[in-house]
Amino acid sequence: MTHMTIPEKGSSREAVISNLKSMKSGDADWHSGQLFGLIYEAGERVEKLVREAASLFMIENGLSPLTFPSLLKMENEVVSMVLSLMEGDDHTVGCTTSGGTESIFMAIKAARDWARQEKPQISKPRMVVPVTAHPAWNKAAHYLGIDIVMTPVDDCFRADTTAMKDAIDENTIILGATAVTYPHGMVDPIPAIGTLAEEYNLWLHVDGCLGGLMLPFLRKLGYDIPAYDFRVPGVKSISADVHKYAYTPKGISTVLYRNSDLRKFQFFMYTEWPGGVYGTPSLAGGRPGSAIAAAWAVMHYLGKEGFLQLAQDARSATEKLMQGIANTPPLYVLGKPDATVFAFGGKDVNIYELSARLKDRGWHAEAQHLPASLHMTVSPIHNTIVDDFLKDLGECVVDLPATDAEDISEMAAMYGMIGTMTDRKVAREFALAYLDDLYNLK
Ligand SMILES: *Cc1c(COP(=O)(O)O)cnc(C)c1O
């Protein structure tokens, strides 16, 4: 393969920026509220604030708290504010990380090392996690050498606690639960899972990556939110992403522990390096100051009042969208979602074809499978587009092909294919080849 080389001579700043802008023009237009995922959009004034805060600390490196004490102070304050939302007490502590994946990774690593001390007889550790858990769990299991057993969910897409109990064996060290599952937007029955964790002396990590900065505000607004935080005995750690429902640019999440003895299992320290004593709280070495500053800024800028308003906007949009979808046969909402994320399917129709038609009109309601459905992550901004979306949805749903129809668009066929391939090993190989191809220069 011939590689692209760094140009012999540089270009002007104007030319470079203009090039970037032109590349960007082919991307999804999230400002308009047509994207239901990836970006958590709270409107122009929040965007302006985070851009300004991030740029102030764009170059500073979070690796050295002694060189940039401002970043350390901001990090500790951000963690503390998130802890206060999780009903922590004087003993609860936490850290920031680069994102939900790293937060989950860190909690699982801490739990593994805790088990090495608490349950030294276990040589092949194992965790029990509902199928709706985020793939970051599978990734962490894969990287950290832990077996992972996926248990089914009930008819409402919440963890089946009996199945989890049945899956616990003598090698099990970790139970997983999620407070707002990504695929369907549910809160798992965490008190019941917490009881199991206590009964078997297991580490329960609650993945609040998606719900962590949303559920506390919905609860304050009076919505009936099931228990999921440190009030539940048995919960040892919680992850909560700031770069989701705290509306900051990517690069910041939190991982929280019931006490500092548990958090110590996360830390890394090496004292014999010629480069000096090297310790980090989390996986990363160098860390962007921009993400930390933006997180700190948004919390002070919005205040509880601002978060409450945005949570109300997002939930109102969610309710109107779910209602509109339920009123558009053959579409239906999966289960009774607790917060601002949901999925919808279509009875006896090819739902992926609907996704393709919506995409032609600029809407991104992404496909998921097992069962086939479209996914909606709702942001405050969506409160302004509900009617437009439902109008387009009503038009796109007309004459959708049946589930087994052959005359469907290429995109819908692609979506459907991996989900329905009976040989899952072949499906995996196919998807891997696709990934490999993506990350080649074209
Ligand atoms: C987004 C998400 C994650 C992973 O977070 P990243 O920031 O994408 O690494 C984990 N769990 C849930 C429930 C999520 O929604």
Side-chain angles (χ1 to χ4, degrees):
M1 193 190 306
T2 44
H3 287 291
M4 186 176 186
T5 57
I6 297 175
E8 284 312 322
K9 285 196 182 349
S11 311
S12 68
R13 189 183 71 85
E14 291 77 10
V16 171
I17 298 296
S18 142
N19 222 324
L20 286 174
K21 285 187 176 160
S22 100
M23 284 192 281
K24 202 174 191 181
S25 68
D27 292 346
D29 179 8
W30 51 272
H31 277 106
S32 60
Q34 288 199 298
L35 196 62
F36 296 100
L38 299 171
I39 287 172
Y40 296 71
E41 173 49 339
E44 247 168 70
R45 64 186 193 106
V46 179
E47 186 191 335
K48 190 156 177 270
L49 184 267
V50 295
R51 281 191 191 278
E52 210 173 323
S55 77
L56 262 182
F57 286 86
M58 183 79 82
I59 316 284
E60 280 76 5
N61 186 348
L63 176 58
S64 175
L66 302 180
T67 316
F68 304 113
S70 61
L71 290 177
L72 178 65
K73 175 178 154 68
M74 285 189 271
E75 262 187 277
N76 285 337
E77 290 186 6
V78 165
V79 167
S80 191
M81 286 186 271
V82 178
L83 278 168
S84 75
L85 295 174
M86 297 301 158
E87 308 292 337
D89 60 19
D90 292 349
H91 300 288
T92 45
V93 291
C95 291
T96 67
T97 69
S98 63
T101 300
E102 189 182 347
S103 288
I104 292 170
F105 200 101
M106 287 294 100
I108 292 173
K109 183 249 184 250
R112 184 196 66 180
D113 292 358
W114 164 84
R116 281 178 180 164
Q117 182 181 299
E118 288 285 307
K119 302 168 179 250
Q121 73 282 7
I122 295 179
S123 59
K124 274 182 69 63
R126 180 173 189 267
M127 56 185 171
V128 174
V129 180
V131 288
T132 46
H134 191 277
W137 292 82
N138 305 75
K139 196 194 250 185
H142 174 67
Y143 282 25
L144 291 167
I146 300 173
D147 291 336
I148 184 165
V149 181
M150 310 305 291
T151 52
V153 288
D154 64 19
D155 292 343
C156 300
F157 303 93
R158 294 188 172 85
D160 175 342
T161 329
T162 312
M164 289 183 81
K165 184 182 167 103
D166 292 345
I168 295 170
D169 70 0
E170 70 281 2
N171 289 322
T172 305
I173 61 168
I174 300 168
L175 295 181
T178 308
V180 182
T181 59
Y182 176 88
H184 315 115
M186 306 300 171
V187 178
D188 281 332
I190 289 166
I193 301 170
T195 304
L196 278 183
E198 291 211 298
E199 193 179 328
Y200 293 90
N201 186 25
L202 304 173
W203 181 301
L204 170 55
H205 176 72
V206 172
D207 176 8
C209 284
L210 195 48
L213 272 291
M214 174 55 75
L215 293 172
F217 298 110
L218 291 179
R219 182 182 280 149
K220 281 201 186 75
L221 286 166
Y223 290 98
D224 186 20
I225 302 296
Y228 63 90
D229 53 28
F230 283 119
R231 278 174 297 192
V232 179
V235 172
K236 281 200 167 40
S237 55
I238 304 178
S239 45
D241 287 356
V242 180
H243 68 200
K244 284 181 179 155
Y245 282 113
Y247 318 106
T248 68
K250 294 297 167 270
I252 187 155
S253 167
T254 59
V255 56
L256 314 166
Y257 295 88
R258 190 168 282 283
N259 58 54
S260 58
D261 288 339
L262 298 177
R263 184 177 67 172
K264 270 195 206 125
F265 290 110
Q266 174 188 312
F267 290 165
F268 174 80
M269 182 57 70
Y270 183 59
T271 53
E272 310 309 310
W273 185 40
V277 174
Y278 188 98
T280 59
S282 53
L283 183 65
R287 291 183 298 135
S290 52
I292 297 166
W296 188 92
V298 92
M299 287 178 178
H300 285 84
Y301 180 68
L302 289 176
K304 277 186 190 148
E305 196 183 29
F307 274 102
L308 282 169
Q309 183 58 52
L310 292 170
Q312 183 64 72
D313 287 351
R315 179 64 194 181
S316 299
T318 307
E319 286 175 353
K320 287 184 272 182
L321 287 166
M322 291 195 300
Q323 190 60 52
I325 286 166
N327 291 341
T328 310
L331 305 181
Y332 61 91
V333 172
L334 275 63
K336 277 202 165 52
D338 292 304
T340 52
V341 175
F342 69 99
F344 64 98
K347 196 169 174 344
D348 303 326
V349 293
N350 187 320
I351 197 74
Y352 302 139
E353 184 67 25
L354 179 61
S355 176
R357 289 182 187 178
L358 286 169
K359 204 155 275 179
D360 283 343
R361 298 182 182 215
W363 301 104
H364 296 257
E366 299 302 340
Q368 49 183 21
H369 62 186
L370 311 167
S373 52
L374 302 187
H375 183 262
M376 304 281 279
T377 302
V378 182
S379 281
I381 192 79
H382 292 126
N383 210 18
T384 61
I385 55 80
V386 171
D387 292 342
D388 294 340
F389 176 77
L390 290 175
K391 181 172 168 290
D392 276 347
L393 186 78
E395 291 169 13
C396 290
V397 83
V398 175
D399 293 333
L400 272 184
T403 327
D404 56 357
E406 295 195 345
D407 183 21
I408 53 174
S409 66
E410 197 181 322
M411 202 168 107
M414 260 278 295
Y415 282 152
M417 191 168 81
I418 293 190
T420 51
M421 281 167 118
T422 41
D423 188 337
R424 301 315 291 163
K425 234 169 124 180
V426 174
R428 185 169 179 276
E429 289 304 319
F430 178 85
L432 269 176
Y434 179 77
L435 186 68
D436 185 57
D437 181 61
L438 269 185
Y439 288 96
N440 283 320
L441 182 67
K442 289 193 193 68

